[in-house]
Amino acid sequence: MLDGLDALQALCGEDRDCRRGWEFVHAQAAAYGRPVVEGDGVDADRLRAAEERLGIALPAALREAYLLFGRRRDLTAAQDRLLTPGQLRCDAEGVLVFRVENQHCASWGVSPESDAHDDPPVLMSTGGRWMPYADRLSIALVEMVLSEAMFSADEETVDNRADLDDAARVALRAMFVRLPLPDLPLWAAPDQSPVRWFAGPDVLLREDSGTWLWVHGRTPAAVQAVRDRLPGDWLMVPEDEGDED
């Protein structure tokens, strides 16, 4: 059902092995037709220069992500943005900021107390205050790849709807498999229901705050199958289908 699911389970489970997270990224990128290849990573010299400029060592999970796919904007910067090594910064509180929302309404970072850890917790800032986001950086980076790959998809292989009600949420959970990624706060509504990921035949689905649903399919037919199973006000239905009535 989902390429690399065992790797994702190993990442999110007791194994806590971020290398399995990168294995999952490779599997998903290949499954959706844009495999990660040699040359997609940032040069190690740029990371060393960033560390010298900042005066800290980058967490191993962040280094590994940059080295593997840091130059792939479709996986890192289609909507929100993984900062380039030259853009990495520490804020006034010493938090290492590594990702920003596309209109700078939110940021993601790592506490200065965590800079020596291989896979530290991640913080999120909205409205100028930092709050817990994920207990491990590798999980935040894997979720980033899923989201950015979805936002960079062709129009025919992505869709969304904003009218989830109780019945639709029940159907979503009955028809699709919840991925082992933990609940993650949505930056636009951090105090509401979290972001959750699901999978089905040739599709990934992201539920935001219990009210909004995104679908990313390998093919247009896979996306249409989700529309058929979860009927509602889908926003990107092809005109020839939407005009049938």
Side-chain angles (χ1 to χ4, degrees):
M1 180 177 293
L2 179 69
D3 295 70
L5 180 58
D6 58 338
L8 184 63
Q9 290 171 332
L11 169 70
C12 299
E14 294 182 359
D15 289 352
R16 301 173 67 90
D17 185 352
C18 63
R19 291 173 297 179
R20 301 303 304 278
W22 314 143
E23 181 181 326
F24 175 73
V25 167
H26 276 270
Q28 285 304 293
Y32 281 76
R34 291 179 282 186
V36 175
V37 298
E38 186 175 354
D40 284 347
V42 169
D43 190 271
D45 289 340
R46 295 185 63 194
L47 297 178
R48 285 190 288 269
E51 290 176 324
E52 291 177 4
R53 174 175 56 83
L54 295 168
I56 61 172
L58 298 180
L62 187 59
R63 287 184 56 87
E64 291 170 5
Y66 276 122
L67 290 170
L68 287 171
F69 51 81
R71 295 179 62 245
R72 284 284 298 272
R73 293 185 61 83
D74 60 317
L75 303 181
T76 64
Q79 172 74 13
D80 304 324
R81 179 165 52 91
L82 177 70
L83 298 180
T84 67
Q87 294 169 333
L88 289 171
R89 64 179 187 272
C90 293
D91 75 354
E93 299 178 45
V95 176
L96 172 63
V97 179
F98 66 87
R99 189 182 182 211
V100 295
E101 191 268 337
N102 67 351
Q103 296 183 353
H104 295 271
C105 294
S107 301
W108 290 263
V110 174
S111 169
E113 289 81 14
S114 302
D115 67 331
H117 294 252
D118 288 343
D119 198 8
V122 174
L123 305 172
M124 181 176 69
S125 173
T126 59
R129 65 180 181 92
W130 289 104
M131 60 176 288
Y133 177 74
D135 66 356
R136 282 186 287 144
L137 177 56
S138 57
I139 288 176
L141 292 168
V142 166
E143 200 278 340
M144 171 195 73
V145 167
L146 292 181
S147 291
E148 299 307 312
M150 178 178 67
F151 286 123
S152 66
D154 296 334
E155 289 187 2
E156 295 81 4
T157 56
V158 68
D159 203 349
N160 62 99
R161 53 178 283 191
D163 61 342
L164 286 187
D165 55 16
D166 290 343
R169 286 190 291 273
V170 169
L172 171 67
R173 284 152 178 74
M175 296 178 182
F176 300 94
V177 175
R178 171 76 192 274
L179 296 190
L181 290 166
D183 290 354
L184 296 171
L186 179 67
W187 73 264
D191 298 324
Q192 297 181 20
S193 299
V195 171
R196 296 187 174 109
W197 285 87
F198 299 83
D202 293 330
V203 291
L204 289 167
L205 302 101
R206 196 182 89 176
E207 179 194 33
D208 290 355
S209 295
T211 60
W212 198 289
L213 184 65
W214 290 87
V215 57
H216 180 197
R218 294 189 192 184
T219 64
V223 174
Q224 185 57 46
V226 174
R227 297 188 190 109
D228 295 340
R229 298 179 76 182
L230 294 173
D233 187 17
W234 291 96
L235 301 181
M236 300 176 69
V237 177
E239 291 186 6
D240 56 345
E241 295 181 19
D243 293 341
E244 285 181 357
D245 295 334

